[in-house]
């Protein structure tokens, strides 16, 4: 029976022509090629009336050299289309997956696009029976990327893939592969830029796992500057290292492990200890991961930089959402240009991060400023300097108590009006004293809920032991309280609070790095909890 291809839909074209051609070339389904491969989750759009996900990107086929080392994308169309009509879509997916080869087919054959070709035909026609074998495509890939046999031994190192629900996303695969390939190429300083909430720690784990399992890097140090970061990493993403891992402290110092997690402060002596890092030999570690490297390690004369310079023989990878570059501090100066960047904008576009709404509120004194009358006294009986005070002065050199109360009332009224008083909310204040005043004002505005549980409003700052003890409850999606939290700097970075739905900025954030870090507290999605977007 003669089949009229024009009468077949795309699925039938794939089933009868494209998939058999790929299999006949030696590709094995679910081993080195996959169908309907998910790339993005689909951007979330949030309007005043509806919140929905757009259609995600899915490649018809993705071909792999090893699990999560993609080589090519194949896009299919029905036979009413021209053979090349899927190419632009294939090239878009190939760019996202960072692969050099793309194919388009309508069942009559393939158009093959080779990004490595600089002279001659970049796109050529291939009959169905001439689809390239895995060996041929990998040889072309190796040649195009100038990968030696020695480098291939490193690239061949396996991923940790025991949980089918925890497969790396495409951008994580890109970051992992680019880093491993850079190390295979002999690069000693590497910078990865990934937006908050996109899984930097999971990416770091996979990089370490591949190099460690292949015995290319045998002793690894993961550095961070906050205890909660180390705790989260030790308990969650790095758990598969098990007995091979230790948290370096003065009380349990030893050299019998292979994976070491440590606080900068604990190693450098900032926590009232001697420089603990000098108890290791300078060549003890052969790989160091520097988490949130935009902070201390970016500054040339910092105590943290001394640690990195002491272990200068080790390969060092800096990871941050916000690389720091100014006259005094430079991540790029130390680590080099980023080998991969995945931005907040791209994360929202792909649907992996929550989009946000912005509500701007200006009070009269914010716009006009405040000028005291001649001889006006403050609460301490001191004469207030006669000059114009503006938002840069408020809650620093000048405290306007009525303004603090008005901020608390305005936000509380917003939460009441929108029926979201139990949505977790962070108030970022100028300093710890301002956070204390804001806490008091919020309690007075929400006396009814505070009467039910006095943890409804909490201050969580570094000088408040009671508040810090509630941090885990605030992070825990199963814990209802605290709900409204006031802080200054403590929660700006490194704290994973996926259920936060509101971020209140009552402070002049003059650093784009600090602003992005603060916004990152709200970008994590929890669709199961109804967290599809957040409000600033």
């Amino acid at each position: 029976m003669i089949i009229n291809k024009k009468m077949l839909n795309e699925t039938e074209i794939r089933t009868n022509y494209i998939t058999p051609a790929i299999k006949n070339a030696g590709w094995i389904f679910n081993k080195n090629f996959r169908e309907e491969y998910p790339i993005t989750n689909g951007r979330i759009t949030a309007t005043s009336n509806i919140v929905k996900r757009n259609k995600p990107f899915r490649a018809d086929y993705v071909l792999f050299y090893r699990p999560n080392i993609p080589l090519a994308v194949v896009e299919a169309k029905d036979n009413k289309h021209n053979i090349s009509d899927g190419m632009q879509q294939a090239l878009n997916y190939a760019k996202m997956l960072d692969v050099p080869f793309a194919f388009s087919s309508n069942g009559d054959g393939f158009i093959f696009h080779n990004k490595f070709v600089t002279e001659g035909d970049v796109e050529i026609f291939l009959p169905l029976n001439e689809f390239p074998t895995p060996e041929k495509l990998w040889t072309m890939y190796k040649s195009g990327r100038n990968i030696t046999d020695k480098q291939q031994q490193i690239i061949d190192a396996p991923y940790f893939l025991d949980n089918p629900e925890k497969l790396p996303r495409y951008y994580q695969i890109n970051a992992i592969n680019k880093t491993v390939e850079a190390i295979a190429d002999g690069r000693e300083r590497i910078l990865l830029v990934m937006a908050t909430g996109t899984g930097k720690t999971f990416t770091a784990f996979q990089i370490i796992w591949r190099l460690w399992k292949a015995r290319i890097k045998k002793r690894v140090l993961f550095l961070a500057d906050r205890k909660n970061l180390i705790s989260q990493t030790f308990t969650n993403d790095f758990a598969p290292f098990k007995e091979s891992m230790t948290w370096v402290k003065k009380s349990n110092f030893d050299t019998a492990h292979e994976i070491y997690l440590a606080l900068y402060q604990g190693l450098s002596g900032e926590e009232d200890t001697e420089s603990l890092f000098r108890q290791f030999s300078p060549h003890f570690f052969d790989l160091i991961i520097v988490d949130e490297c935009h902070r201390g390690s970016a500054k040339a004369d910092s105590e943290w930089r001394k640690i990195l310079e002491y272990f200068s023989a080790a390969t060092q990878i800096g990871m941050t959402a916000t690389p720091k570059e100014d006259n005094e501090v430079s991540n790029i100066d130390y680590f080099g240009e980023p080998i991969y960047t995945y931005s907040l904008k791209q994360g929202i576009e792909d649907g992996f991060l929550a989009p946000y709404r912005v509500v701007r509120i200006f009070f009269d004194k914010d716009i006009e400023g405040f000028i005291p009358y001649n001889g006006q006294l403050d609460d301490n009986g001191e004469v207030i300097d006669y000059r114009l005070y503006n938002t840069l002065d408020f809650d620093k050199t000048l405290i306007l108590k009525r303004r603090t109360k008005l901020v608390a009332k305005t936000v509380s009224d917003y939460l009441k009006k929108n029926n979201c008083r139990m949505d977790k909310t962070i108030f970022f204040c100028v300093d710890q004293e301002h956070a204390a005043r804001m806490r008091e004002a919020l309690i007075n505005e929400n006396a009814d809920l505070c009467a039910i549980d006095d943890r409804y409003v909490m201050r969580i700052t570094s000088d408040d032991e009671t508040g810090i003890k509630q941090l885990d409850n605030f992070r825990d999606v199963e814990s209802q309280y605290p709900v409204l939290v006031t802080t200054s700097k403590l929660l700006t970075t490194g704290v994973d609070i996926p259920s936060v739905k509101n971020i209140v900025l009552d402070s002049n954030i003059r650093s784009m790095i600090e602003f992005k870090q603060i916004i990152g507290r709200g970008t994590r999605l929890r669709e199961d909890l109804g967290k599809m977007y957040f409000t600033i």
Side-chain angles (χ1 to χ4, degrees):
M1 184 178 69
I2 298 175
I3 298 176
N4 184 355
K5 287 184 181 178
K6 301 293 183 186
M7 302 300 293
L8 301 180
N9 60 33
E10 181 183 309
T11 300
E12 291 169 327
I13 289 291
R14 286 169 52 181
T15 301
N16 290 284
Y17 299 97
I18 300 175
T19 300
I22 295 172
K23 287 182 175 179
N24 290 338
W27 298 89
I28 302 172
F29 179 64
N30 272 352
K31 182 179 179 182
N32 55 12
F33 89 90
R34 303 177 202 169
E35 292 190 62
E36 292 293 327
Y37 183 78
I39 299 177
T40 71
N41 275 4
R43 182 187 174 106
I44 295 171
T45 55
T47 65
S48 57
N49 298 321
I50 191 169
V51 178
K52 67 174 184 177
R53 271 197 183 275
N54 294 337
K55 186 178 179 181
F57 288 169
R58 290 182 180 271
D60 290 334
Y61 305 83
V62 176
L63 312 182
F64 293 84
Y65 165 64
R66 291 281 187 269
N68 295 300
I69 300 182
L71 297 179
V73 173
V74 183
E75 278 302 302
K77 297 293 180 184
D78 64 40
N79 202 249
K80 296 184 183 71
H81 287 82
N82 292 323
I83 192 170
S84 62
D85 281 358
M87 183 55 72
Q88 290 193 150
Q89 187 176 0
L91 288 173
N92 182 47
Y93 294 161
K95 181 178 180 181
M96 296 179 74
L97 295 174
D98 190 36
V99 298
F101 308 126
F103 297 84
S104 175
S105 178
N106 66 351
D108 289 339
F110 296 92
I111 296 297
F112 174 36
H113 183 108
N114 185 347
K115 290 185 179 181
F116 291 138
V117 174
T118 56
E119 294 182 3
D121 294 334
V122 177
E123 293 187 357
I124 61 172
F125 171 79
L126 296 175
L128 289 175
N129 63 354
E130 291 185 17
F131 193 84
T133 65
E135 295 75 18
K136 181 176 182 180
L137 214 57
W138 173 244
T139 299
M140 294 170 66
Y141 183 93
K142 278 182 64 178
S143 175
R145 292 273 172 97
N146 298 314
I147 297 171
T148 66
D149 290 339
K150 183 178 180 180
Q151 290 170 337
Q152 183 175 336
Q153 293 177 7
I154 300 176
I155 293 168
D156 280 349
Y159 281 79
F160 180 82
L161 297 174
D162 74 329
N163 182 359
E165 300 299 321
K166 191 69 173 175
L167 296 176
R169 295 168 175 169
Y170 85 87
Y171 62 85
Q172 294 170 337
I173 292 173
N174 290 345
I176 296 162
N177 290 346
K178 282 182 174 293
T179 301
V180 171
E181 289 183 18
I183 291 172
D185 199 35
R187 185 160 172 176
E188 295 295 327
R189 299 291 180 269
I190 295 167
L191 182 62
L192 286 175
V193 178
M194 297 173 65
T196 300
T198 57
K200 290 193 296 297
T201 310
F202 175 70
T203 301
F205 163 73
Q206 290 287 4
I207 291 168
I208 296 170
W209 182 269
R210 290 181 64 188
L211 299 172
W212 178 67
K213 274 295 184 180
R215 308 311 289 164
I216 295 156
K217 301 296 181 183
K218 299 177 181 178
R219 286 193 290 232
V220 181
L221 174 63
F222 180 86
L223 274 174
D225 74 334
R226 299 203 175 169
K227 288 182 180 178
N228 61 288
L229 278 172
I230 296 291
S231 178
Q232 289 173 192
T233 302
F234 191 93
T235 305
N236 300 326
D237 287 316
F238 279 34
F241 288 125
K242 299 179 181 176
E243 292 80 12
S244 298
M245 176 175 59
T246 186
W247 183 340
V248 181
K249 300 177 183 177
K250 185 180 180 181
S251 59
N252 71 341
F253 180 85
D254 70 62
T255 58
H257 293 79
E258 295 187 317
I259 310 298
Y260 295 77
L261 282 68
L263 286 168
Y264 289 106
Q265 302 92 317
L267 289 186
S268 68
E270 292 181 25
E271 292 188 328
D272 299 323
T273 65
E274 296 181 3
S275 296
L276 196 59
F277 70 90
R278 296 187 186 279
Q279 295 188 38
F280 295 99
S281 71
H283 294 274
F284 185 83
F285 297 108
D286 43 24
L287 176 64
I288 297 176
I289 306 281
V290 187
D291 193 33
E292 304 292 359
C293 68
H294 63 278
R295 293 205 282 268
S297 59
K299 195 171 183 179
D301 60 352
S302 71
E303 288 295 319
W304 299 352
R305 181 68 71 86
K306 292 178 184 178
I307 298 173
L308 301 185
E309 290 172 347
Y310 180 79
F311 296 117
S312 61
T315 300
Q316 297 177 7
I317 303 171
M319 304 188 77
T320 180
T322 50
K324 196 167 187 178
E325 299 298 318
D326 57 36
N327 293 332
E328 298 179 356
V329 178
S330 174
N331 286 125
I332 292 174
D333 179 59
Y334 186 79
F335 291 103
E337 293 286 343
I339 64 169
Y340 187 70
T341 297
Y342 189 72
S343 66
L344 171 66
K345 180 181 178 182
Q346 190 63 52
I348 293 174
E349 183 66 32
D350 289 342
F352 295 122
L353 296 179
Y356 55 86
R357 298 170 173 172
V358 178
V359 179
R360 292 184 174 88
I361 298 170
F362 299 97
F363 300 134
D364 54 353
K365 295 297 184 288
D366 297 345
I367 299 170
E368 303 166 3
F370 170 80
I371 301 177
Y373 56 80
N374 281 323
Q376 185 172 352
L377 303 179
D378 63 18
D379 287 353
N380 297 319
E382 301 290 336
V383 176
I384 303 172
D385 289 343
Y386 182 78
R387 68 175 179 85
L388 174 64
Y389 295 86
N390 57 34
T391 53
L392 296 178
D393 298 298
F394 297 160
D395 293 294
K396 290 183 179 179
T397 57
L398 184 75
I399 297 170
L400 299 177
K401 291 183 178 180
R402 288 177 60 190
R403 185 185 179 282
T404 302
K405 292 178 180 179
L406 188 55
V407 170
K409 180 177 179 0
T410 301
V411 177
S412 298
D413 287 348
Y414 173 89
L415 298 177
K416 293 172 185 176
K417 178 182 177 182
N418 290 278
N419 195 30
C420 55
R421 296 181 73 190
M422 298 306 295
D423 287 354
K424 291 191 176 183
T425 302
I426 307 177
F427 289 72
F428 286 95
C429 302
V430 171
D431 54 28
Q432 296 180 10
E433 291 75 19
H434 182 206
R437 293 192 299 274
M438 186 59 68
R439 170 192 167 275
E440 180 182 336
L442 287 167
I443 287 174
N444 291 335
E445 287 295 331
N446 297 277
D448 56 337
L449 295 183
C450 291
I452 297 172
D453 193 308
D454 58 14
R455 295 174 301 162
Y456 178 74
V457 180
M458 295 288 297
R459 180 179 74 139
I460 300 180
T461 54
S462 59
D463 67 342
D464 191 319
E465 185 176 344
T466 301
I468 288 178
K469 288 180 178 178
Q470 289 296 321
L471 179 56
D472 284 342
N473 286 330
F474 189 54
R475 290 166 45 194
D476 185 359
V477 296
E478 302 296 331
S479 177
Q480 191 173 31
Y481 298 99
V483 180
L484 309 185
V485 164
T486 69
T487 189
S488 55
K489 302 293 184 183
L490 185 63
L491 303 185
T492 57
T493 183
V495 182
D496 186 359
I497 312 173
S499 55
V500 165
K501 291 189 177 181
N502 302 295
I503 291 176
V504 181
L505 299 176
D506 191 24
S507 171
N508 268 284
I509 310 299
R510 309 196 73 186
S511 161
M512 183 54 69
I513 288 176
E514 185 178 3
F515 176 76
K516 287 182 178 180
Q517 290 286 346
I518 287 174
I519 297 311
R521 299 314 100 208
T523 54
R524 288 169 173 82
L525 282 164
R526 282 303 299 262
E527 295 181 59
D528 56 326
L529 301 176
K531 164 77 181 295
M532 298 284 283
Y533 67 94
F534 67 104
T535 302
I536 302 171

